[in-house]
Amino acid sequence: MSEFESEERQSGFVHLHNHTDFSLLDGAAPISRYMAKAKELGMTSLAITDHGNMFGALRFYYAAKDAGINPIIGCEFYCNPPDHTERPASGGKRTKQYHLILLAMNEKGYHNLMELNSVSYTEGFYFKPRIDDELLKKHNEGLICLSACLGGEILQNLLEGQYDQAKQRAEWFASVFDDGRYYLELQDHHLPEQQRTNPLLKQLSEETGIPLVCTNDIHYIEQSDANAQDLLLCVGTNSKKNDPNRMRFPNQEFYMKSQQEMEELFSWCPEALQNTAKIAERCNLEIHFPGPLLPDFEIPEGFSDTADYLRYLSNEGLKDRYPEVTEELHKRLDYELDIIIKMQFEGYFLIVMDYIQWAKKHGIPVGPGRGSGAGSIVAYSLGITDVDPIKFNLLFERFLNPERVSMPDFDIDFCFERRQEVINYVTEHYGVERVAQIATFGTLKAKAVVKDVARVLDIPFEESNNICKLIPDDPKMTLAKAFDQNSDLGELEKKGGVYAELFDAARRLEGLNRHTSTHAAGVVIGKEKLVNYVPLYRDAKTGAISTQFTMDLIENCGLVKMDFLGLKTLTLIKHTEDLIHKKDPDFTINTIDEKDPKTFTMLRKGESNAVFQFESQGMQNILKEAQPDDIEDLVALNALYRPGPMAYIPQFINCKLGKEPITYANPELEDELKTTYGVIVYQEQVMKVAQIIAGYSLGGADILRRIMGKKKVAALEKEKVKFIAGAKALGRTEQHAIEIFEMLEPFAGYGFNKSHAVAYSVVAYQTAFLKANYPAEFWAANLTNEMNSPDKFSEYLQVAK
């Protein structure tokens, strides 16, 4: 840090005790508004100290860096009383707890903050995440400690008239956080308790030499946000605004005050103001982000490394998959292996292979594939997928692009009922300290926030429902859009009173984090214990351990996400197989006839109730129109039946049935487009067209596809120039190149991933085969599968009859 930066940072007041909306249903201040207000106030440093968690710490760090603000990462911890440092057995319930602010000075402090926060959840006390003296002594390096608000131990002792106890504990903290890392925290929200304790803190500071620092305990950004935050508290405590006994803040002083306002409040103690800047200057955190780190995979003796072992297993698996291993197959396998090993992803393939093998060995159904991973012949050879990429002309580069380095991502479907067994195996195999699920956050979206605030304001339930019905059903709907689209909302707000309050608060609270949840499928496996990379969280209801950071943040921190999805259709297939085995012990779904006449006759009639991916009324109609003959038709219909490409279904059907001629924009494209009757359906076809027409590598074609899909004008124009040049180099005219490029654009946005469409169409065909050939067993299994879904059970019962 330069001398100028140091002086600039010390020149002003810094807010060090601040709650974002990650202090769930308590803080009404999103990180984006913190940054905007800090810049408006000319502040060069800012802290985050959410209640008991680090959920928002990394988002805050990135946002502050982007705003040119020094991020001070901290947390307001809950602490056990000092006479209960031993962790008591569960069963006792002690409500007393203290608050304590810890701020990371450097990366060591940041890691200690993560360690303390993780332990507070995973080994904490009772129902709140807590730490104790023992943990503070062990993990205080690199941390600055503030004595916290009126909920802090020192302040509580002072309020109880225990000055000597307060002094003793303050000196203990100062001895642990040596080198001047402990501060007595002053606050002034015009509360009588603070008027009593602030002079005592000043006296304590003079007697002990422990420095003072002032904070404002921010819970909202503007003073005008106070009512909205009050209503948010009501949401969190499930109370009504007019309840006289509910929890509430005493006044409207918990906002982000300017330096001038803080100077006026603490003019009697200028050193407390100066110390905020001194603390900020000491907090110079630069987080090292290692990027994704794969856990080590233990290989058997006789192999030099994971690359050697992967090559061996892949070549052996190739022999099992193909009766005749041709030179072309060997060439494709070696090409993929070279890329995988060059990118150092061999461990990833081996880890996924291992838990899939374990699942299959223990009779747990595993899906044939999901997403782009089905395009890899290495994955097929290892048994990770069960879709032949050669047969279906699937592209490896759609999965792993050598020209755009990113982690491979196998999404694996497991039997819905037994998915957890696989996660348990992985946890036991790699160790509980190295495996966790991933946190997600539910937010106050347009309808939800109106409903929550209406309840708090005691608006009758029926009226609240009617107001919510005025907001269009759209996952991306905002209140601003809703008011634009429905003038009745504006008219309602103009009535004033409770309606004006409802919408004012709803706008201020919209988008805030409401609650934590667990990602439906994501699991991380760490190279070392997870707390070295991210803070951890234990769900109070399920007991599941999750990362506190969300899926989009963890990879940069050093973790690799793997998806373990539960698919009820696999459970259905397994239950049906079990029933069939009573009369045909040798039956297996893996050897059924792929061109079974009974199955396609049933599908051509549109009788696809309970057939995976094809049970909607729209799909039933399209099956009757399209008259599918083989699985490639099912793959195409599966890919086309979604917004955008749906417009091309009539062309697909008419060309298939000979009602209109099949045309190709260039005769060289026939081999790639004949299975879809000249219609571009898949992303992989877009890639192949770019390769054939303009000489793109498949990796480059994948990048082109992404740019077209995102419709970024500048990047698209650059690619267009490249495409035309490539086409001209192959002897094509510029006009023809432009026509092909412009033809590809909409399809790149609409096109579906063929690897995924194939894998899911295989599962769809399997369910259709069972329905057509073993209807009694199929419907019995379906009814068992839907026992906990009354509406679905009733529907299937009627169809089965």
Side-chain angles (χ1 to χ4, degrees), residues 66 157 333 374 383 388 390 453 481 503 566 797:
D66 287 345
N157 280 320
L333 187 78
D388 183 350
I390 307 303
V453 175
K481 284 184 190 175
F503 290 117
L797 185 61

Side-chain angles (χ1 to χ4, degrees), residues 444-447 449-450 471-472 476-485 489 502-510:
L444 287 162
K445 294 185 178 175
K447 278 199 178 194
V449 74
V450 168
I471 301 170
K476 295 182 179 178
M477 182 53 57
T478 65
L479 287 173
K481 284 184 190 175
F483 271 76
D484 284 343
Q485 293 177 23
L489 287 165
L502 167 66
F503 290 117
D504 176 72
R507 285 190 185 92
R508 293 173 190 268
L509 301 178
E510 183 181 15

Side-chain angles (χ1 to χ4, degrees), residues 156-398:
Q156 284 291 300
N157 280 320
L158 293 177
L159 286 170
E160 292 169 9
Q162 302 290 328
Y163 183 85
D164 289 342
Q165 174 69 7
K167 184 175 181 180
Q168 179 188 336
R169 289 297 291 162
E171 289 175 334
W172 182 87
F173 280 110
S175 70
V176 171
F177 293 89
D178 55 5
D179 194 27
R181 292 183 294 124
Y182 179 63
Y183 290 78
L184 296 170
E185 186 173 347
L186 299 170
Q187 293 184 348
D188 187 355
H189 302 100
H190 308 311
L191 305 181
E193 296 92 340
Q194 291 168 342
Q195 305 310 313
R196 284 172 52 200
T197 56
N198 280 348
L200 293 172
L201 286 171
K202 175 88 165 165
Q203 179 184 335
L204 197 56
S205 172
E206 290 168 353
E207 289 179 7
T208 61
I210 298 171
L212 295 164
V213 67
C214 57
T215 69
N216 199 58
D217 200 2
I218 300 170
H219 282 71
Y220 40 92
I221 301 300
E222 304 290 349
Q223 196 164 23
S224 59
D225 294 325
N227 185 57
Q229 192 264 349
D230 188 44
L231 298 179
L232 184 69
L233 272 181
C234 293
V235 173
T237 55
N238 197 27
S239 54
K240 302 287 178 68
K241 182 185 179 182
N242 58 11
D243 178 356
N245 299 315
R246 69 175 174 86
M247 175 188 173
R248 67 180 75 221
F249 276 47
N251 56 36
Q252 300 184 353
E253 295 297 321
F254 296 80
Y255 65 97
M256 194 168 179
K257 293 175 178 171
S258 68
Q259 177 170 328
Q260 183 181 346
E261 288 174 293
M262 293 301 289
E263 285 173 350
E264 288 171 3
L265 277 173
F266 293 97
S267 58
W268 59 274
C269 191
E271 69 269 25
L273 291 155
Q274 294 159 9
N275 283 338
T276 66
K278 288 180 180 177
I279 289 171
E281 202 278 329
R282 293 182 78 181
C283 292
N284 192 27
L285 173 63
E286 290 293 336
I287 302 174
H288 168 68
F289 295 105
L293 301 171
L294 285 163
D296 296 323
F297 185 87
E298 194 174 326
I299 58 173
E301 289 184 13
F303 297 94
S304 57
D305 53 27
T306 50
D308 184 26
Y309 188 48
L310 181 67
R311 284 191 186 276
Y312 167 77
L313 290 177
S314 299
N315 278 284
E316 290 301 303
L318 196 69
K319 297 172 193 172
D320 294 335
R321 288 296 197 181
Y322 298 96
E324 182 186 351
V325 179
T326 63
E327 187 179 336
E328 281 301 306
L329 288 171
H330 262 308
K331 188 177 176 183
R332 168 74 176 256
L333 187 78
D334 287 340
Y335 166 74
E336 289 191 16
L337 283 168
D338 287 345
I339 290 171
I340 292 165
I341 291 166
K342 183 181 178 183
M343 290 181 159
Q344 298 183 323
F345 292 151
E346 59 269 25
Y348 183 88
F349 280 75
L350 292 171
I351 290 163
V352 176
M353 175 203 72
D354 175 68
Y355 61 71
I356 287 177
Q357 281 184 354
W358 184 90
K360 290 178 177 178
K361 184 180 175 182
H362 289 80
I364 300 172
V366 182
R370 198 179 203 274
S372 56
S376 167
I377 199 170
V378 170
Y380 183 55
S381 299
L382 295 173
I384 291 172
T385 60
D386 281 313
V387 171
D388 183 350
I390 307 303
K391 173 183 172 182
F392 289 102
N393 194 26
L394 306 180
L395 302 182
F396 174 69
E397 291 82 359
R398 176 61 186 81

